[in-house]
Amino acid sequence: MCGIVGYIGQRRAYDILIQGLHRLEYRGYDSSGVAIINEEGSLNIYKSKGKVEALEHYAENKDLSGNIGIAHTRWATHGEPNDINAHPHCSESGRIAMVHNGTIENYSVLKEALSNKGYTFVSQTDTEVAVQLIEYIMQTNNCSAFEAVKEATKRIVGAYAIAVVDRQNPNTIIAARQSSPLVIGVGEDEYFIASDATPIIEYTNKVVYLNDGEIAVINRGEELKV
Ligand code: GLU
């Protein structure tokens, strides 16, 4: 089992995400990574095979600013454990980043359909197929990341917990689950996301457990919408 962490609020997201990844290490993993949107709207993704320490070492001296981000410890199911297959994965245009726990059973059918539309893939993962599908839906339906995730979950068969950020909307994280756990911690003007409550309890005791089929829209400074 692997892990998801997310943060949106006023603090430096990187610190909370790394601390959260350490808290989830007990679940087992082979690689890890973070995606953070900085104040200028750049989406910075750092990932590394091996321990979270390797990720921290890799990220040293890089731009770690920003107060919204998602992070992941991976247990490879589709593609070998390496830096490229590590999460977060990015959409073709670089606009959407996503972390995913679980497996997407119909990923090869979806991948072929997206390839036929001109999408290319850099990793061997099922996850990259899902993030490309979300971007494809956003572009063809001209809709928000939430609407695209909602539509994508109708087309995806499998087990997943996901967290998604959109570079063009640095005030929102979308989270969804089907057969893989996901918990949201509600703080003062901040939200925490994690695969279990372990990374969250040091910040808040208000937690919301997502149910199967639910999608959460986590907007900065607004009430949680599920
Ligand atoms: N199936 C995805 C992959 O192989 C996610 C694995 C996981 O749950 O960590 O990258």
Side-chain angles (χ1 to χ4, degrees), residues 2-126:
C2 42
I4 284 176
V5 186
Y7 177 78
I8 183 165
Q10 313 299 328
R11 315 186 207 207
R12 190 168 87 150
Y14 178 78
D15 303 325
I16 311 254
L17 297 173
I18 291 291
Q19 175 82 341
L21 292 181
H22 280 301
R23 294 270 186 263
L24 293 179
E25 281 189 291
Y26 78 92
R27 296 162 68 94
Y29 67 104
D30 53 53
S31 53
S32 65
V34 298
I36 302 160
I37 305 174
N38 73 10
E39 294 291 312
E40 287 79 47
S42 297
L43 176 59
N44 291 315
I45 299 184
Y46 308 120
K47 32 194 209 176
S48 177
K49 183 182 167 184
K51 292 285 173 199
V52 175
E53 282 84 5
L55 169 65
E56 290 177 90
H57 183 66
Y58 174 74
E60 257 170 28
N61 305 320
K62 303 221 164 41
D63 178 6
L64 304 177
S65 67
N67 45 31
I68 169 173
I70 53 177
H72 190 259
T73 47
R74 176 177 187 236
W75 188 300
T77 63
H78 292 65
E80 61 180 274
N82 61 27
D83 294 352
I84 292 172
N85 288 333
H87 301 209
H89 286 283
C90 214
S91 62
E92 186 101 353
S93 73
R95 176 174 170 183
I96 309 292
M98 176 170 126
V99 290
H100 164 226
N101 283 174
T103 52
I104 292 164
E105 284 162 27
N106 60 339
Y107 88 102
S108 53
V109 178
L110 295 170
K111 189 170 186 173
E112 196 181 333
L114 288 163
S115 300
N116 291 340
K117 306 256 178 234
Y119 279 76
T120 55
F121 297 85
V122 295
S123 81
Q124 302 161 301
T125 63
D126 49 344

Side-chain angles (χ1 to χ4, degrees), residues 138-205:
M138 279 178 90
Q139 286 178 350
T140 46
N141 295 4
N142 194 19
C143 66
S144 67
F146 163 65
E147 292 292 341
V149 168
K150 192 168 139 191
E151 177 58 31
T153 59
K154 293 181 195 157
R155 302 188 197 181
I156 288 169
V157 179
Y160 53 82
I162 60 170
V164 175
V165 290
D166 173 2
R167 192 179 62 191
Q168 291 183 24
N169 183 0
N171 295 311
T172 304
I173 300 176
I174 312 291
R177 72 155 273 184
Q178 184 66 50
S179 307
S180 279
L182 207 56
V183 185
I184 300 166
V186 183
E188 289 278 330
D189 288 327
E190 60 185 353
Y191 290 100
F192 306 84
I193 303 166
S195 301
D196 64 43
T198 329
I200 295 176
I201 45 179
E202 60 203 271
Y203 304 107
T204 176
N205 54 16

